[in-house]
């Protein structure tokens, strides 16, 4: 176990800049998720950590050791691939034996036929390690099968097994669950999180699925356009996104981004509603366009229109069983509002729905996507932003109002 | 029951005619290898011929009794004149030399020319060619398909370009080069010019493109170097493609007449099976079509058997894209 530290990692393919100076420090034993839309550079970053790709600039350190230019095999990391990448001609046991053989045996001991005779004790030891790992992953009955004879989930476990046998410093996982069907994926999420807990090893997990990131990770790094936009605990990323792109990427259905305007005093007006909270004053700030972000669960339904409601006709009911998401047509934009099943029963397609936003939950973003803080949020804040972040984190975890709103996330997290 | 369809019928008719054209020479070869010379010349006896006993004139010629033999046989025929004894011995000889035509043709194939030696030469040459071709083509194909390096596209287009060069165009320079280094009339002359197969490189490259990059990355993470990846990961996954290439390569070089004819000029010990066929080409005592066709049959049989065994995987290999 060791920390992994990336400093100023840059990578370009030809003239396209894929990574623009990534700084990232991964604690020992942490489950860190790199999440972002496809093409954001997350897989490239993982491959640079693995040593499969060389960075154009910057440093990778594992523990105290600088590993720039160190071969992938010598970094003692293990990787699990989306396509599992098991050797198709070898059985599961042989697949798991490959990394051990290459690491622990000398060249002459790896010779076919002769090798096992020369190093009988070593081979027995390697096989014992394979069986132990197989037992942990409940692969013991599958050891003699070839990958072609396994189901997707079993292949996934075999690939994990091959990564686990060598007891690496860290596991790197490149969208390992994307090829599984939905039910199995949710199940494997839980298994992976459990495995992480029992192994205590560092996991670096790449995914484009924000749900996987939210449910499994200790911290998640939201990447876009070759940069890390926000790196924090999943709940904070969800509740307190630093950027509009982060807010839009994390959470499903997507956050509602409503156009609004802020005046010089920091009052925000948005679709005819004035938010009760005021933005922290930025001296000399002229009135400007802003975007107010409100998640679907941050609305309450109201029987009639009022000064504080957004009204639109119901164009789509997205029924998820426990909740129903109502899609409202507000003319220029579409608003998604969460409703209870009972509540939603009263509305049929085309009906007029009135939604009341929860002012305390609104997130305001500047035109460039940057988050704008409210005055009461920044009130007790001193110059040390680090301290402020800790305070915010603490608040996010104790805020009782959250419990009801974030039920789906909580359930998913509990399942993992 | 499927309905009658004019288009299907037409398609099948065309295919049947095509098949007949291809099969006919084989039919003639097999039929001639079974028939007696007379039947071949008179074109009678159907496929098998009558298989009536025939007398092997050469055998008779070889065994003709001389004076000593007649004297030795005198006591077996008491009271006969020399000419009577000779006639009796000749009759015995003729009986001993009469054979079924099929047996005659096939024994001739092995006795008249050292066919087993030729077959062995064929095996040595085709096997060495294929072995070295694989040794060269796999690393080349891997580099062309999976490694990123400057000039890769240029090299690949050169490979494609080389596919267009006919063997016969470069035969003469090749021959001169081999002659200069004194390699004519050796196995090396038969093998060396074929060791780099651009077709093999091309075929394997196309196959390697379908192998997921993840597999190679996984092997690198496991600690394999690039050569280990080629032989321990790529080779086993490429078996179907390799089998297809094996058939192309082995058939081409087993059947090759042109090149061995050029570089093997005197030494019959180096003859490959097709060169062996020439042994039966008409000499002073006429052509031996029966034994010749028997030889031809023996030469093609290993290929046909090999193809039938490998048929399923061969087709798999040609339709490369099916494999994931």
């Amino acid at each position: 176990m060791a920390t992994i530290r990336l400093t100023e990692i840059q990578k370009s393919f030809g003239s396209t800049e894929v990574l623009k100076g990534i700084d990232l420090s991964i604690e020992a034993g942490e489950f860190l998720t790199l999440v972002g839309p496809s093409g954001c550079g997350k897989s490239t970053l993982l491959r640079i950590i693995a040593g499969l790709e060389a960075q154009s600039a910057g440093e990778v350190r594992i523990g105290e050791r600088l590993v720039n230019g160190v071969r992938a095999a010598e970094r003692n990391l293990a990787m699990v691939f989306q396509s599992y990448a098991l050797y198709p001609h070898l059985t599961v046991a042989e697949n798991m034996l490959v990394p051990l053989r290459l690491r622990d045996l000398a060249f002459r001991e790896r010779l076919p036929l002769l090798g096992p005779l020369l190093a009988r004790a070593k081979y027995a030891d390697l096989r014992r390690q394979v069986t132990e790992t197989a037992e942990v992953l409940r692969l013991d009955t599958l050891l003699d099968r070839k990958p072609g004879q396994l189901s997707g989930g079993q292949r996934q476990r075999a690939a994990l097994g091959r990564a686990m046998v060598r007891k690496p410093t860290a596991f790197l996982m490149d969208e390992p669950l994307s090829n599984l069907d939905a039910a199995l994926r949710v199940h494997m999420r839980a298994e992976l999180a459990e495995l992480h807990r029992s192994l205590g090893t560092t996991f670096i997990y790449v995914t484009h699925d924000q749900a996987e990131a939210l449910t499994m990770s200790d911290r998640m790094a939201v990447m876009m356009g070759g940069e890390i936009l926000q790196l924090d605990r999943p709940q904070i990323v969800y509740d307190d996104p630093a950027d509009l792109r982060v807010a839009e990427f994390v959470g499903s259905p997507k956050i509602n981004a409503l156009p609004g305007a802020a005046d010089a005093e920091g009052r925000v007006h948005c679709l005819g509603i004035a938010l009760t909270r005021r933005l922290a004053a930025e001296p000399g700030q002229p009135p400007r366009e802003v975007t107010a972000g409100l998640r679907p669960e941050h609305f309450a339904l109201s029987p009639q229109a009022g000064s504080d409601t957004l009204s639109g006709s119901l164009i789509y009911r997205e029924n998820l069983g426990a909740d129903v998401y109502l899609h409202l047509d507000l003319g220029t934009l579409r608003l998604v509002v969460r409703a209870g099943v009972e509540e939603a029963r009263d509305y049929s397609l085309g009906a007029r729905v009135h939604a009341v936003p929860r002012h305390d939950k609104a997130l305001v973003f500047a035109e460039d996507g940057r988050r704008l803080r409210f005055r009461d949020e920044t009130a007790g804040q001193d110059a040390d932003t680090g301290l402020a972040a800790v305070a915010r984190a603490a608040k996010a975890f104790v805020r009782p109002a959250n419990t009801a709103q974030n039920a789906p996330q909580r359930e998913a997290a509990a399942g993992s | 029951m499927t309905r009658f369809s004019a288009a299907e019928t037409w398609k099948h008719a065309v295919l049947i005619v095509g098949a007949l054209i291809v099969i006919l020479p084989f039919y003639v070869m097999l039929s001639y290898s079974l028939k007696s010379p007379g039947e071949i010349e008179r074109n009678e006896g159907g496929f098998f011929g009558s298989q009536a006993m025939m007398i092997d004139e050469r055998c008779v010629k070889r065994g003709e009794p001389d004076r000593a033999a007649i004297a030795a046989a005198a006591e077996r025929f008491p009271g006969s004149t020399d000419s009577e004894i000779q006639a009796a011995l000749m009759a015995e000889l003729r009986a001993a030399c009469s054979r079924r035509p099929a047996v005659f043709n096939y024994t001739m194939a092995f006795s008249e020319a050292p066919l087993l030696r030729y077959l062995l030469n064929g095996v040595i040459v085709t096997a060495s060619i294929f072995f070295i071709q694989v040794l060269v083509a796999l690393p080349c194909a891997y580099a062309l398909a999976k490694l990123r390096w400057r000039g890769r596209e240029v090299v690949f287009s050169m490979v494609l370009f080389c596919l267009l060069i006919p063997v016969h165009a470069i035969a003469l320079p090749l021959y001169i080069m081999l002659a200069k280094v004194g390699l004519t009339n050796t196995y090396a002359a038969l093998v060396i010019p074929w060791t780099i197969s651009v077709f093999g490189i091309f075929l394997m490259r196309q196959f390697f493109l379908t192998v997921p990059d993840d597999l190679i990355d996984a092997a690198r993470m496991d600690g394999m170097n690039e050569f280990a990846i080629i032989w321990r990961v790529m080779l086993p996954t490429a078996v179907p493609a390799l089998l297809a290439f094996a058939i192309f390569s082995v058939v081409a070089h087993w059947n090759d007449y042109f090149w061995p004819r050029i570089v093997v000029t005197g030494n019959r010990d180096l003859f490959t099976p097709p060169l062996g066929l020439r042994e039966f080409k008409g000499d002073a005592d006429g052509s031996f079509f029966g034994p010749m066709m028997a030889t031809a049959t023996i030469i093609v049989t290993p290929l046909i058997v090999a193809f039938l065994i490998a048929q399923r995987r061969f087709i798999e290999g040609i339709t490369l894209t099916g494999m994931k």
Side-chain angles (χ1 to χ4, degrees), chain B residues 25-135:
Chain B
F26 285 90
Y27 173 86
V28 171
M29 175 185 78
L30 210 56
S31 168
Y32 278 16
S33 80
L34 299 171
K35 296 207 286 197
S36 69
E39 285 167 332
I40 294 171
E41 261 155 50
R42 290 191 298 279
N43 197 13
E44 61 183 31
F47 180 71
F48 286 108
S50 59
Q51 295 296 333
M53 286 305 219
M54 60 168 275
I55 290 157
D56 179 358
E57 295 298 340
R58 282 196 176 191
C59 163
V60 173
K61 202 99 195 141
R62 268 199 304 275
E64 226 164 42
D66 53 13
R67 200 140 287 285
I70 293 168
E75 57 196 59
R76 278 170 54 210
F77 304 96
S80 310
T81 62
D82 274 6
S83 59
E84 276 168 358
I85 293 175
Q86 192 188 1
L89 282 179
M90 279 305 281
E92 272 179 16
L93 185 63
R94 283 181 165 278
C97 279
S98 65
R99 302 245 160 73
R100 297 278 172 210
V103 178
F104 168 75
N105 288 342
Y106 280 91
T107 47
M108 269 286 274
F110 282 100
S111 63
E112 276 312 293
L115 186 55
L116 283 178
R117 170 82 207 204
Y118 298 166
L119 290 171
L120 180 68
N121 285 342
V123 170
I124 292 173
V125 169
T126 46
S128 342
I129 289 176
F130 179 63
F131 180 72
I132 305 177
Q133 277 177 340
V134 170
L135 223 54

Side-chain angles (χ1 to χ4, degrees), chain A residues 3-24:
Chain A
T3 55
I4 296 174
R5 220 177 2 263
L6 310 181
T7 350
E8 276 298 307
I9 296 288
Q10 293 176 19
K11 175 74 185 174
S12 31
F13 292 109
S15 58
T16 35
E17 217 180 355
V18 183
L19 296 175
K20 301 170 184 164
I22 301 274
D23 288 303
L24 181 59

Side-chain angles (χ1 to χ4, degrees), chain B residues 118-287:
Chain B
Y118 298 166
L119 290 171
L120 180 68
N121 285 342
V123 170
I124 292 173
V125 169
T126 46
S128 342
I129 289 176
F130 179 63
F131 180 72
I132 305 177
Q133 277 177 340
V134 170
L135 223 54
V136 175
L138 249 54
C140 289
Y142 175 73
L144 286 173
K146 291 295 181 192
L147 302 181
R148 281 185 304 220
W149 40 283
R150 198 182 293 268
R152 182 173 79 162
E153 298 314 311
V154 178
V155 172
F156 182 60
S157 49
M158 273 162 66
V159 167
L160 289 181
F161 174 72
C162 287
L163 276 174
L164 306 175
I165 301 176
V167 187
H168 310 85
I170 54 168
L172 191 59
L174 264 179
Y175 174 79
I176 294 171
M177 277 154 67
L178 288 169
K180 290 263 190 218
V181 287
L183 281 178
T184 47
N185 286 312
T186 58
Y187 282 126
L190 291 168
V191 173
I192 288 174
W194 309 112
T195 46
I196 298 175
S197 164
V198 275
F199 174 69
I201 295 172
F202 175 72
L203 189 77
M204 296 318 292
R205 173 198 179 259
Q206 296 308 97
F207 184 82
F208 284 171
L209 286 179
T210 67
V211 175
D213 286 342
D214 280 359
L215 192 62
I216 295 161
D217 285 336
R220 287 193 187 127
M221 294 295 289
D222 284 349
M224 290 193 198
N225 62 32
E226 299 299 304
F227 278 103
I229 291 174
I230 296 170
W231 304 119
R232 315 195 61 141
V233 179
M234 300 306 265
L235 176 70
T237 55
V239 167
L242 214 56
L243 221 66
F245 174 54
I247 299 238
F248 284 124
S249 163
V250 168
V251 167
H253 297 112
W254 181 268
N255 288 338
D256 191 14
Y257 179 75
F258 171 76
W259 186 250
R261 182 84 184 87
I262 288 179
V263 289
V264 180
T265 45
N267 190 352
R268 281 182 60 180
D269 283 348
L270 289 174
F271 275 19
T272 55
L275 285 183
L277 269 183
R278 291 186 67 248
E279 304 273 312
F280 300 95
K281 194 175 63 87
D283 293 329
D285 44 357
S287 286

Side-chain angles (χ1 to χ4, degrees), chain A residues 47 53 71 73 77 81 83 85-89 99 101-102 162 166, chain B residues 148 212 214-215 217-225 232-233 236-237:
Chain A
R47 289 168 57 83
E53 200 94 58
R71 280 184 51 204
L77 304 170
F81 296 86
S83 62
L86 294 164
Y87 306 116
H89 58 290
R101 275 167 52 105
L102 288 163
R162 187 177 59 179
R166 49 194 260 186
Chain B
R148 281 185 304 220
D214 280 359
L215 192 62
D217 285 336
R220 287 193 187 127
M221 294 295 289
D222 284 349
M224 290 193 198
N225 62 32
R232 315 195 61 141
V233 179
T237 55

